[in-house]
Amino acid sequence: MGKLKLLVAALVGLAVLVVGGTWVYINVIREDAPERLTLQDDPTTSASAAASPAGSASAPAGSAAPAASGPTRWTATDGSIVGYRVDEILNGQNVTAVGRTSDVTGEVALDGAKVTEASFTADLTTVKSDSSRRDGQFRGRIMDTDTHPTATFKLTQPIDLGTPPADGKVVSAKATGDLTLRGTTKSVVIDLQAKRSGNAAEISGSIPIVFEDFKIPNPSFGPAQTEDNGELEVLLKLAPAA
């Protein structure tokens, strides 16, 4: 009986140590999860530089985008980010897991007050979080990036903004399009915010993802347990296409 009590006490002590150690890691050692991807105060810097040919002067902030006959086209530049956000329970403690990549390409076509085309592609093989173990699970069992290395979105319905976007004004809209994850394509709706500042623009938004809908295995592994859903976050920094 004495040995049984010692065994129970040891197991209880181990459980306290594990949970207590997890609490210390989450609340003391581990940095907070990154903030959600949102529009920046000044999107002009990186996009302006990317839009200007080498050796030429960039347009001053606040100036109008270059005139064009028909639709104007914009391309994703440095600073564009795509990633995931998933709530986890790690040994009884709530954690938000965030992984992101800046290997993003994209294009948007604007014809007056209508967005007629929009798409982006993210390289999932370069998505990183704060945990190499989580990243290994993401690239392997979860997203199988050897077979499905990218995530893509393509607009399937034009977006009517009502009026051409004014410089510096934040515009909210819903975008309907096809999202492809892990080889499965589904129609989704993204709540977007967009802003143009001179010859630069930004678009941000998030898409709720139910893993089963895209045939994505539940990300739970080891002591980390997740819900059956998460979010795909997007921030596109845009410059006029050359």
Side-chain angles (χ1 to χ4, degrees), residues 23-136:
W23 186 94
V24 170
Y25 167 72
I26 293 172
N27 295 281
V28 179
I29 300 174
R30 182 179 184 269
E31 295 183 1
D32 292 338
E35 297 292 332
R36 291 180 178 278
L37 295 175
T38 58
L39 299 180
Q40 307 299 302
D41 292 334
D42 182 9
T44 60
T45 304
S46 62
S48 297
S52 303
S56 66
S58 61
S63 63
S69 57
T72 57
R73 304 191 76 86
W74 301 72
T75 56
T77 65
D78 291 346
S80 296
I81 302 171
V82 171
Y84 66 81
R85 180 176 293 268
V86 178
D87 290 332
E88 291 181 347
I89 298 178
L90 180 61
N91 290 327
Q93 303 291 318
N94 293 325
V95 177
T96 298
V98 176
R100 291 175 175 173
T101 179
S102 57
D103 290 331
V104 180
T105 59
E107 191 170 66
V108 175
L110 181 65
D111 189 357
K114 285 189 176 182
V115 178
T116 56
E117 299 176 45
S119 63
F120 70 79
T121 298
D123 184 351
L124 299 185
T125 67
T126 59
V127 169
K128 289 187 177 180
S129 68
D130 64 347
S131 168
S132 59
R133 184 181 179 191
R134 181 188 294 118
D135 296 342

